[in-house]
Amino acid sequence: MTQTKQHEHDVDVWVGKRFPLTIRRLGVNGHGIGYYKHKVCFVPGALPNEVVVAEITRVLPRYLEAKVHRIRKKSRDRVTPRDHYADIAGGFELENLAYQQQLKFKRQVIIDSLEKFQPYGYRNYDVRPTIAAPEEYGYRNKAQFQVRMVNGKVAAGLYQPNSHTLVDMETCAVQMPRTMETVRAVTKMIEDLQIPVYDEKHNSGIIKTLAVRESWSTGEVQLTFITNSPKLPHKRELLERIEKKELPSVVSVMQNVNPGDTPLVWGDKMIHLAGKDSILESLMGLDFKLSARSFLQLNPEQTEVLYEEASKALELDKDDTLIDAYAGIGTIGLSLASRVKAVRGMEIIPEAVADANENAKLNNITNARYEVGKAEEVLPRWQKEGLNFDALVVDPPRTGLDDQLIKQILKVKPRKFAYVSCGMASLARNLRRLTSVYHVDYIQPIDMMPQTARCEAVVKLSLRK
């Protein structure tokens, strides 16, 4: 074995070296953090106050990465995970940590992010206890599993962190049951029919990814084959087995073409293969049509709680015009439409906007309209056209709000403002600028994804007096 030694800050380490390590706390990704001769060491699967024998897996200039070789002193908050691959695949980082401690950790992530970016007055923010999810398992409505050959068999699952090593997942305790039944049945069909699966090394083969979404309210399932080319060998036999024999709950089968070696899961071209082109989900008493690429929170039951918290933070009334930025398929805006005069929203994915406008029709909502475009470009145009708004809800991607949009917000100064965030670092960074005009009334963490390190929060902002 080649040993990469590193002499920096007098730390003599190499891949494979083992040493005892006391875990001080959890990092933002749920990894245990300890210090080896003053150098930070990240250890997935290790918990605070544990003493482990760590084995170095990577040596980097500023930190070390290690795995648990064995545990010498166990945390009393350690529990046995339901998934045996909790330590080796992404998406289960905290499955070995008691649920009450997971909730405390998620609140702490927000506090740590505020400490790091120090927005105005952050020490006095009211960061509330995390709202627990009603179900700790079986809540995820969507599975996006890579399909590859592993040991001569067709495998479907998730990669190990920082690698392209696929973990074949027979079961997955956080997924809704039908999503996993569908993935496993379809994986077997692909093997039986000998449909070529994608090979990254040679950029050959056809099926790259299976995306399966289950509706919480109707039980309908949508299956999308994400492929390397438009052709899909044995398509007729495949669809026959899905429709007629084996998967009666699959009511929509789509194909997405995403050629070549790319980090993006989805390509631009959609092909309708069988059944309907969408499935139906119900939230907050409304029906939502979901096409394959449209974004919906992964935990539908807890999504209702999230939107109710956003509504509380906004304190809407009948005379308000609400802007729904980063609107997706309109779930937040439409769920609040009955409480306001008008809702206007924007989103960059055309299919999502089409879904949002169709969802408005589907629910007989006449005061909501959605447009394709970036919030930072659409908003100034609407204002030029004479649209004045009182209330704003934003639910940006993990990267946070666009700079230009922040400028717009600070210029227009809407009275009522709720920021829904899934990225705590970007939230804290954005608050640095927003707090020049706004006061942070409170931050409410909500656990949308138990067993993972991910957290959502709703921030209530009001104009400074």
Side-chain angles (χ1 to χ4, degrees):
M1 181 180 99
T2 58
Q3 295 186 347
T4 29
K5 287 204 177 192
Q6 175 100 12
H7 297 275
E8 190 171 305
H9 313 308
D10 302 323
V11 181
D12 189 10
V13 286
W14 56 88
V15 170
K17 180 176 168 109
R18 291 178 189 160
F19 49 82
L21 188 70
T22 301
I23 304 300
R24 304 287 174 200
R25 58 193 173 88
L26 289 179
V28 62
N29 296 317
H31 297 161
I33 292 180
Y35 295 88
Y36 179 67
K37 299 186 179 172
H38 306 296
K39 195 164 187 174
V40 174
C41 184
F42 292 100
V43 191
L47 300 178
N49 304 319
E50 290 190 326
V51 179
V52 301
V53 174
E55 181 178 320
I56 294 290
T57 54
R58 272 176 97 196
V59 177
L60 293 125
R62 295 179 54 193
Y63 61 91
L64 307 170
E65 288 179 5
K67 61 182 182 184
V68 176
H69 174 63
R70 63 189 172 85
I71 301 173
R72 279 188 176 178
K73 181 185 158 220
K74 206 159 96 170
S75 162
R76 58 165 189 244
D77 297 318
R78 179 175 282 278
V79 294
T80 305
R82 290 191 192 180
D83 293 292
H84 64 277
Y85 24 65
D87 291 342
I88 54 170
F92 315 86
E93 307 79 47
L94 300 182
E95 211 182 340
N96 56 11
L97 181 63
Y99 189 54
Q100 284 310 310
Q101 296 305 314
Q102 292 185 31
L103 298 175
K104 285 182 184 165
F105 161 75
K106 292 184 186 199
R107 177 175 181 267
Q108 192 59 44
V109 168
I110 297 173
I111 293 167
D112 292 348
S113 299
L114 294 171
E115 276 285 343
K116 184 178 175 188
F117 291 98
Q118 307 196 345
Y120 180 77
Y122 74 96
R123 285 202 173 90
N124 300 320
Y125 290 178
D126 172 15
V127 183
R128 299 180 167 179
T130 310
I131 296 174
E135 299 294 335
E136 293 168 36
Y137 288 98
Y139 61 82
R140 269 185 91 118
N141 59 5
K142 189 178 185 185
Q144 239 168 234
F145 283 4
Q146 309 300 326
V147 183
R148 300 287 183 270
M149 295 303 288
V150 175
N151 301 330
K153 285 181 75 65
V154 176
L158 300 171
Y159 289 132
Q160 291 181 21
N162 308 319
S163 81
H164 276 222
T165 308
L166 192 77
V167 181
D168 189 20
M169 294 193 167
E170 293 285 334
T171 60
C172 180
V174 292
Q175 287 289 152
M176 286 187 182
R178 278 198 186 109
T179 62
M180 288 310 291
E181 283 164 22
T182 306
V183 167
R184 294 323 307 177
V186 172
T187 306
K188 187 176 184 313
M189 292 174 203
I190 293 167
E191 182 149 308
D192 291 350
L193 296 167
Q194 296 183 340
I195 302 169
V197 305
Y198 188 59
D199 174 348
E200 274 165 305
K201 222 185 231 152
H202 306 101
N203 187 23
S204 61
I206 304 285
I207 296 180
K208 285 179 157 184
T209 308
L210 294 177
V212 179
R213 172 141 57 192
E214 177 182 340
S215 165
W216 173 55
S217 56
T218 63
E220 292 182 328
V221 173
Q222 180 173 58
L223 165 66
T224 306
F225 293 96
I226 300 171
T227 60
N228 189 31
S229 79
K231 73 167 198 273
L232 183 57
H234 305 292
K235 180 162 63 184
R236 198 173 52 81
E237 299 99 310
L238 185 63
L239 294 174
E240 212 165 71
R241 278 182 68 168
I242 291 166
E243 286 184 286
K244 305 229 165 72
K245 300 177 186 158
E246 295 173 43
L247 292 167
S249 53
V250 174
V251 299
S252 167
V253 187
M254 306 294 290
Q255 181 182 355
N256 175 268
V257 184
N258 185 21
D261 185 9
T262 159
L264 300 174
V265 175
W266 295 86
D268 292 328
K269 188 179 178 186
M270 291 297 296
I271 302 166
H272 178 204
L273 295 180
K276 305 188 289 186
D277 62 0
S278 62
I279 59 173
L280 211 61
E281 181 61 282
S282 296
L283 293 169
M284 314 278 289
L286 301 176
D287 291 334
F288 291 98
K289 190 180 154 216
L290 300 174
S291 57
R293 280 185 63 186
S294 55
F295 171 79
L296 181 71
Q297 295 280 0
L298 289 167
N299 185 340
E301 197 172 358
Q302 192 70 330
T303 299
E304 296 194 324
V305 176
L306 180 73
Y307 294 170
E308 205 41 68
E309 285 301 323
S311 166
K312 269 188 223 167
L314 284 163
E315 295 183 11
L316 297 167
D317 60 51
K318 283 290 186 197
D319 297 326
D320 289 334
T321 295
L322 172 68
I323 299 288
D324 179 9
Y326 305 95
I329 56 165
T331 37
I332 294 187
L334 295 176
S335 68
L336 303 176
S338 63
R339 309 176 196 194
V340 295
K341 184 169 77 182
V343 174
R344 299 285 291 275
M346 71 291 273
E347 167 61 61
I348 56 171
I349 297 172
E351 297 106 306
V353 174
D355 282 352
N357 287 317
E358 205 163 316
N359 288 327
K361 272 198 208 110
L362 188 65
N363 293 288
N364 301 316
I365 294 169
T366 52
N367 65 339
R369 217 173 84 215
Y370 289 88
E371 279 185 37
V372 179
K374 294 177 175 173
E376 58 275 13
E377 288 165 12
V378 174
L379 211 50
R381 187 176 81 242
W382 283 352
Q383 283 186 280
K384 276 198 191 112
E385 292 165 7
L387 177 79
N388 293 314
F389 61 94
D390 326 271
L392 171 69
V393 61
V394 296
D395 184 6
R398 294 185 76 78
T399 46
L401 299 175
D402 179 273
D403 280 353
Q404 291 305 313
L405 180 59
I406 294 179
K407 272 191 192 141
Q408 275 305 115
I409 294 169
L410 296 177
K411 196 169 131 192
V412 183
K413 304 182 176 62
R415 265 181 325 116
K416 301 174 177 187
F417 182 11
Y419 186 145
V420 180
S421 173
C422 62
M424 297 311 130
S426 60
L427 168 67
R429 196 172 52 242
N430 289 166
L431 286 177
R432 279 177 72 162
R433 289 177 64 194
L434 294 169
T435 47
S436 62
V437 169
Y438 284 94
H439 175 262
V440 174
D441 294 9
Y442 63 76
I443 300 178
Q444 176 61 69
I446 297 153
D447 187 17
M448 300 293 287
M449 294 177 68
Q451 320 310 332
T452 78
R454 292 231 183 134
C455 181
E456 296 264 339
V458 172
V459 187
K460 178 174 167 50
L461 295 139
S462 58
L463 287 168
R464 289 189 173 285
K465 297 285 185 284

